[in-house]
Amino acid sequence: MPPLLPEALLFRLLARRNVPRFAPRPASRTLPLPRTSMPRPLSSPRLILAVLAGAAGVFAMLQSLISPVLPTIQADLGTSRSTVTWVLTAWLMSASVATPLLGRLGDSLGKRRTLLVALGAVSAGSLLAALAPNIGVLVAARVVQGLGGAVFPLAFGIVRDEFPGERVAPAIGSLSAVLAGGGGLGLVLSGPIETHLGWRWLFWIPMVAVALTAVLVRLLVPESPVRHHGRIDWRAALLLSGWLVALLTPVSRAGEWGWGSPSVLGLFALAVILFCCWIAVESRSADPLVDLRMMRLPAVWTTNAVAVLFGASMFAVTAFVPQFLQTPATAGYGFGLSVSEAGLLSLPMLAAMSVGGILSGALSTRVSPKAQLVVSALLSTVACAAFALLSDHPWEVATAGGVFGLGLGLAYAAMSTVIVRSVPAHRTGVATGMNANIRNIGGAIGTAVVATLITSHPLPGGLPRESGFTHGFILLTITSVVTVALAALVPAGRRRATAIARHAQPRSKSVRPH
């Protein structure tokens, strides 16, 4: 008998076991992917992070790009120093309301979709600001731009959705470095742009950059798979807007109206009433705009308390240090620098911000966020004291700026890490939005208060007195000391998600889109 070929041998064995020659394959154990309205882009985490960093960086520049040229805008539009400050205050106030609102929409409608809406608002506001014929239109344009404040919590939420757990903290550290560095870069770039192209190009250029970034987000960033469906409480949004306006208006106008005037006292009383109404509405809401139940978590409320004071210091420093440097020496102080020269002296702050954010992510596995926050608050204290007492030479101001920037970079990353680690995944957008929102509220209040101190008693020529800057920076030094104490209250340990969920359990169900 001739030897069997391998195929014939196989067939004979199958026949003896009564097994079909072409047996069907076993059913796949792979679960079907959730159906979505459109396919998820196939992007690597590194590419997603790069696109999100671009979106965050462009918006961060808008925080500080305008600050150095406020005197130029004031002269060009024929307004007062206290009125032109509203170009900053209105932006912060709008971001304070829009950040939690769009953060909630991102958790329910999709973070990428909401991020595109926020970037579209920034681009539209930039166009309106570039064409603004007067200060009123410019302030309105900045309100529209402020809707982009949700870029940061949405970006953090996307990172948590798309990245493995061990890479979340480093990625957030990188985004925080971009956030801090972008703010510093705005201080540096504003001078050359204003000198060679005019201050309106400070809005034309971001408009184009944001539009291009939105295209990249649409093409490369996947939509979030985690959704939390719930309604938007518009009453809470209106009350939040109301008490912020009622609080910030008298703070910014008290120098002209008088702290004891009926207008100032009446608006303060109205702010207290609206604030109490807002708390009552949020406490009873099934889907609160700012989840006050989440504020009961020690890690959340302490970090948010630190955020409001860091916001006050950050926005006040970036707004008024350049103005101090640009004050002509004829005022008896200042250095009479141009916008570009003042921007160059901000380079140490810019570099230190970026280094601080990167260091925070790299040290996250060895140094607790609490320790990082304490150190950053101490650095802020030293820097603000130096601004107040050691400002006889430009290099002293630049050195103090570097110290301040290092602390700011560490603080941004550490605060974001604490929040992301302390809340359930489906509440990331709301929680980080609340932190950014509180930081913006602190920035709005800090900017308004320091502006009042600086502009209250001007010199005969209209320039602020040196004592105004000194008192403003001393106030920021005291604020930083309080920040150190609050940072020491932040829990050092990392909570388990299950323990967190018992404290911040949502009342509506999280689902994946179908």
Side-chain angles (χ1 to χ4, degrees):
M1 182 176 179
L4 294 173
L5 295 174
E7 293 85 352
L9 177 61
L10 175 62
F11 291 157
R12 178 170 292 185
L13 290 173
L14 291 175
R16 288 179 181 177
R17 295 174 180 269
N18 295 321
V19 177
R21 291 171 60 180
F22 299 99
R25 293 182 178 180
S28 173
R29 300 175 63 90
T30 303
L31 297 177
L33 293 174
R35 296 188 301 274
T36 56
S37 57
M38 63 184 65
R40 287 163 59 85
L42 300 177
S43 301
S44 67
R46 184 174 298 178
L47 186 57
I48 293 172
L49 181 62
V51 174
L52 294 177
V58 173
F59 185 76
M61 283 195 296
L62 287 172
Q63 293 181 344
S64 57
L65 199 62
I66 309 304
S67 301
V69 299
L70 285 181
T72 304
I73 295 175
Q74 174 190 346
D76 191 40
L77 298 182
T79 186
S80 66
R81 183 177 289 267
S82 60
T83 300
V84 80
T85 304
W86 273 91
V87 173
L88 301 178
T89 305
W91 184 91
L92 289 167
M93 193 163 55
S94 173
S96 301
V97 178
T99 298
L101 185 63
L102 294 183
R104 166 55 53 82
L105 287 175
D107 283 340
S108 59
L109 301 180
K111 297 180 180 69
R112 182 186 67 168
R113 184 181 304 174
T114 310
L115 179 58
L116 290 173
V117 171
L119 293 175
V122 175
S123 188
S126 299
L127 174 62
L128 182 61
L131 300 173
N134 53 57
I135 190 65
V137 175
L138 181 57
V139 169
R142 291 287 281 175
V143 171
V144 177
Q145 278 188 326
L147 298 178
V151 166
F152 304 128
L154 291 170
F156 292 146
I158 292 172
V159 165
R160 181 154 186 176
D161 288 346
E162 299 298 329
F163 281 58
E166 67 276 7
R167 295 185 60 184
V168 170
I172 288 177
S174 299
L175 281 177
S176 301
V178 171
L179 167 60
L185 187 61
L187 295 175
V188 176
L189 294 179
S190 61
I193 293 174
E194 188 274 334
T195 300
H196 298 288
L197 299 174
W199 65 266
R200 294 183 185 274
W201 280 90
L202 298 173
F203 299 105
W204 286 118
I205 293 175
M207 182 194 73
V208 175
V210 169
L212 293 175
T213 303
V215 173
L216 294 177
V217 169
R218 176 66 178 79
L219 294 176
L220 300 174
V221 175
E223 186 54 275
S224 51
V226 180
R227 302 290 177 85
H228 172 72
H229 292 301
R231 67 182 184 88
I232 303 297
D233 195 333
W234 296 104
R235 293 180 305 164
L238 290 174
L239 288 170
L240 177 60
S241 306
W243 74 258
L244 281 173
V245 172
L247 173 66
L248 296 176
T249 300
V251 168
S252 61
R253 294 293 186 179
E256 301 174 16
W257 297 349
W259 286 98
S261 67
S263 298
V264 169
L265 296 179
L267 285 172
F268 278 143
L270 178 61
V272 172
I273 294 172
L274 292 176
F275 177 79
C276 292
C277 292
W278 175 70
I279 292 292
V281 168
E282 291 285 60
S283 299
R284 298 173 183 173
S285 175
D287 293 287
L289 193 63
V290 176
D291 196 342
L292 298 179
R293 291 169 295 152
M294 198 179 295
M295 286 289 285
R296 299 171 191 169
L297 293 171
V300 174
W301 77 258
T302 52
T303 304
N304 285 335
V306 169
V308 71
L309 298 182
F310 260 116
S313 299
M314 181 194 73
F315 286 104
V317 166
T318 56
F320 297 110
V321 167
Q323 293 190 33
F324 176 84
L325 293 172
Q326 294 175 57
T327 302
T330 54
Y333 66 99
F335 308 104
L337 302 182
S338 66
V339 178
S340 297
E341 291 169 337
L344 288 176
L345 282 181
S346 301
L347 278 174
M349 184 186 299
L350 165 63
M353 282 180 184
S354 300
V355 170
I358 295 171
L359 280 178
S360 178
L363 297 174
S364 60
T365 58
R366 289 172 289 177
V367 181
S368 70
K370 172 182 179 176
Q372 294 184 33
L373 284 176
V374 171
V375 171
S376 61
L378 288 171
L379 292 174
S380 176
T381 303
V382 172
C384 290
F387 287 136
L389 305 174
L390 301 173
S391 55
D392 295 332
H393 305 282
W395 68 266
E396 294 176 335
V397 179
T399 302
V403 174
F404 185 80
L406 180 61
L408 199 60
L410 286 171
Y412 263 147
M415 286 188 292
S416 301
T417 300
V418 171
I419 294 297
V420 170
R421 287 180 176 180
S422 302
V423 301
H426 64 273
R427 305 301 282 170
T428 301
V430 171
T432 53
M434 179 167 59
N435 184 256
N437 173 52
I438 289 175
R439 189 169 62 240
N440 289 334
I441 292 174
I445 295 173
T447 301
V449 171
V450 174
T452 299
L453 291 174
I454 291 175
T455 62
S456 292
H457 304 288
L459 295 169
L463 293 172
R465 297 180 184 274
E466 183 179 12
S467 59
F469 284 102
T470 302
H471 294 159
F473 291 129
I474 288 176
L475 177 62
L476 294 180
T477 304
I478 296 172
T479 300
S480 298
V481 172
V482 177
T483 308
V484 175
L486 289 174
L489 298 178
V490 175
R494 179 175 176 176
R495 291 181 172 271
R496 296 178 61 87
T498 53
I500 298 162
R502 287 197 296 268
H503 292 278
Q505 184 67 30
R507 299 182 188 178
S508 52
K509 192 175 182 180
S510 298
V511 298
R512 287 181 177 268
H514 292 283

